[in-house]
Short mmCIF file of all heavy atoms in Angstrom, two decimals:
data_model
loop_
_atom_site.label_atom_id
_atom_site.label_comp_id
_atom_site.label_asym_id
_atom_site.label_seq_id
_atom_site.Cartn_x
_atom_site.Cartn_y
_atom_site.Cartn_z
N TRP A 20 35.48 -303.77 -16.64
CA TRP A 20 36.71 -304.54 -16.46
C TRP A 20 37.65 -303.89 -15.46
O TRP A 20 37.75 -302.67 -15.36
CB TRP A 20 37.44 -304.70 -17.79
CG TRP A 20 36.71 -305.59 -18.75
CD1 TRP A 20 35.62 -306.39 -18.49
CD2 TRP A 20 37.00 -305.76 -20.14
NE1 TRP A 20 35.24 -307.05 -19.62
CE2 TRP A 20 36.05 -306.69 -20.65
CE3 TRP A 20 37.95 -305.22 -21.00
CZ2 TRP A 20 36.03 -307.09 -21.97
CZ3 TRP A 20 37.94 -305.62 -22.31
CH2 TRP A 20 37.01 -306.54 -22.79
N LEU A 22 40.89 -304.42 -15.62
CA LEU A 22 42.19 -304.28 -16.26
C LEU A 22 42.73 -302.86 -16.14
O LEU A 22 41.99 -301.89 -16.31
CB LEU A 22 42.07 -304.64 -17.75
CG LEU A 22 41.64 -306.07 -18.04
CD1 LEU A 22 41.38 -306.23 -19.53
CD2 LEU A 22 42.68 -307.06 -17.57
N ILE A 85 42.68 -312.09 -13.68
CA ILE A 85 42.76 -313.23 -14.60
C ILE A 85 41.44 -313.42 -15.34
O ILE A 85 41.41 -313.66 -16.56
CB ILE A 85 43.14 -314.51 -13.82
CG1 ILE A 85 44.59 -314.41 -13.33
CG2 ILE A 85 42.96 -315.75 -14.69
CD1 ILE A 85 44.99 -315.49 -12.36
N HIS A 86 40.32 -313.29 -14.62
CA HIS A 86 39.00 -313.42 -15.25
C HIS A 86 38.80 -312.35 -16.31
O HIS A 86 38.39 -312.63 -17.44
CB HIS A 86 37.91 -313.32 -14.18
CG HIS A 86 36.52 -313.26 -14.76
ND1 HIS A 86 35.91 -312.05 -15.06
CD2 HIS A 86 35.64 -314.23 -15.10
CE1 HIS A 86 34.72 -312.29 -15.57
NE2 HIS A 86 34.52 -313.60 -15.60
N ASP A 87 39.12 -311.09 -15.96
CA ASP A 87 38.91 -310.00 -16.89
C ASP A 87 39.88 -310.08 -18.07
O ASP A 87 39.53 -309.73 -19.20
CB ASP A 87 39.07 -308.66 -16.18
CG ASP A 87 37.90 -308.35 -15.26
OD1 ASP A 87 36.95 -309.16 -15.24
OD2 ASP A 87 37.93 -307.32 -14.57
N PHE A 88 41.09 -310.55 -17.81
CA PHE A 88 42.07 -310.68 -18.88
C PHE A 88 41.62 -311.76 -19.88
O PHE A 88 41.75 -311.57 -21.10
CB PHE A 88 43.44 -311.03 -18.30
CG PHE A 88 44.54 -310.92 -19.30
CD1 PHE A 88 45.00 -309.67 -19.69
CD2 PHE A 88 45.12 -312.05 -19.85
CE1 PHE A 88 46.02 -309.55 -20.61
CE2 PHE A 88 46.15 -311.94 -20.77
CZ PHE A 88 46.61 -310.69 -21.15
N SER A 89 41.07 -312.85 -19.37
CA SER A 89 40.55 -313.90 -20.25
C SER A 89 39.40 -313.36 -21.10
O SER A 89 39.29 -313.67 -22.29
CB SER A 89 40.07 -315.10 -19.42
OG SER A 89 41.14 -315.67 -18.71
N THR A 90 38.55 -312.53 -20.47
CA THR A 90 37.44 -311.92 -21.21
C THR A 90 37.97 -311.00 -22.31
O THR A 90 37.46 -310.98 -23.43
CB THR A 90 36.54 -311.11 -20.26
OG1 THR A 90 36.06 -311.98 -19.23
CG2 THR A 90 35.37 -310.51 -21.00
N LEU A 91 39.01 -310.24 -21.98
CA LEU A 91 39.63 -309.37 -22.98
C LEU A 91 40.09 -310.15 -24.20
O LEU A 91 39.84 -309.75 -25.34
CB LEU A 91 40.81 -308.63 -22.36
CG LEU A 91 41.70 -307.82 -23.32
CD1 LEU A 91 40.95 -306.59 -23.81
CD2 LEU A 91 43.00 -307.42 -22.67
N LEU A 92 40.76 -311.26 -23.97
CA LEU A 92 41.27 -312.06 -25.08
C LEU A 92 40.14 -312.60 -25.94
O LEU A 92 40.25 -312.68 -27.17
CB LEU A 92 42.13 -313.20 -24.54
CG LEU A 92 43.40 -312.79 -23.80
CD1 LEU A 92 44.16 -314.03 -23.33
CD2 LEU A 92 44.29 -311.91 -24.66
N GLN A 93 39.03 -312.98 -25.30
CA GLN A 93 37.89 -313.51 -26.06
C GLN A 93 37.20 -312.42 -26.87
O GLN A 93 36.90 -312.60 -28.04
CB GLN A 93 36.88 -314.14 -25.09
CG GLN A 93 37.39 -315.38 -24.38
CD GLN A 93 36.45 -315.85 -23.29
OE1 GLN A 93 35.30 -315.42 -23.22
NE2 GLN A 93 36.93 -316.71 -22.41
N VAL A 94 36.98 -311.27 -26.23
CA VAL A 94 36.27 -310.18 -26.89
C VAL A 94 37.08 -309.62 -28.06
O VAL A 94 36.53 -309.25 -29.11
CB VAL A 94 35.94 -309.07 -25.89
CG1 VAL A 94 35.43 -307.82 -26.60
CG2 VAL A 94 34.91 -309.56 -24.88
N HIS A 95 38.40 -309.57 -27.88
CA HIS A 95 39.24 -308.94 -28.89
C HIS A 95 39.94 -309.95 -29.79
O HIS A 95 41.06 -309.72 -30.22
CB HIS A 95 40.27 -308.05 -28.22
CG HIS A 95 39.68 -306.79 -27.67
ND1 HIS A 95 39.20 -305.78 -28.47
CD2 HIS A 95 39.47 -306.37 -26.40
CE1 HIS A 95 38.73 -304.80 -27.72
NE2 HIS A 95 38.88 -305.14 -26.46
N SER A 96 39.30 -311.06 -30.08
CA SER A 96 39.85 -311.95 -31.10
C SER A 96 39.86 -311.20 -32.41
O SER A 96 38.91 -310.50 -32.76
CB SER A 96 39.00 -313.22 -31.20
OG SER A 96 37.67 -312.90 -31.51
N GLY A 97 40.96 -311.30 -33.12
CA GLY A 97 41.10 -310.50 -34.33
C GLY A 97 41.33 -309.04 -34.01
O GLY A 97 40.92 -308.13 -34.73
N LEU A 98 42.02 -308.78 -32.90
CA LEU A 98 42.19 -307.42 -32.39
C LEU A 98 42.87 -306.50 -33.40
O LEU A 98 42.57 -305.32 -33.46
CB LEU A 98 43.02 -307.47 -31.10
CG LEU A 98 43.19 -306.17 -30.31
CD1 LEU A 98 41.84 -305.69 -29.82
CD2 LEU A 98 44.14 -306.37 -29.16
N LYS A 101 40.70 -304.25 -35.24
CA LYS A 101 39.72 -303.46 -34.49
C LYS A 101 40.30 -302.22 -33.83
O LYS A 101 39.56 -301.43 -33.26
CB LYS A 101 39.07 -304.34 -33.42
CG LYS A 101 38.28 -305.51 -33.98
CD LYS A 101 37.66 -306.33 -32.87
CE LYS A 101 36.84 -307.49 -33.42
NZ LYS A 101 36.21 -308.29 -32.35
N ILE A 114 49.29 -307.42 -24.91
CA ILE A 114 49.03 -308.45 -23.91
C ILE A 114 50.19 -308.53 -22.91
O ILE A 114 49.98 -308.59 -21.69
CB ILE A 114 48.80 -309.81 -24.59
CG1 ILE A 114 47.47 -309.80 -25.34
CG2 ILE A 114 48.83 -310.94 -23.57
CD1 ILE A 114 47.29 -310.97 -26.28
#
Side-chain angles (χ1 to χ4, degrees):
W20 291 350
L22 298 172
I85 291 170
H86 172 270
D87 287 356
F88 192 74
S89 298
T90 303
L91 171 71
L92 296 180
Q93 294 171 14
V94 170
H95 287 291
S96 58
L98 187 64
K101 297 181 179 180
I114 290 168

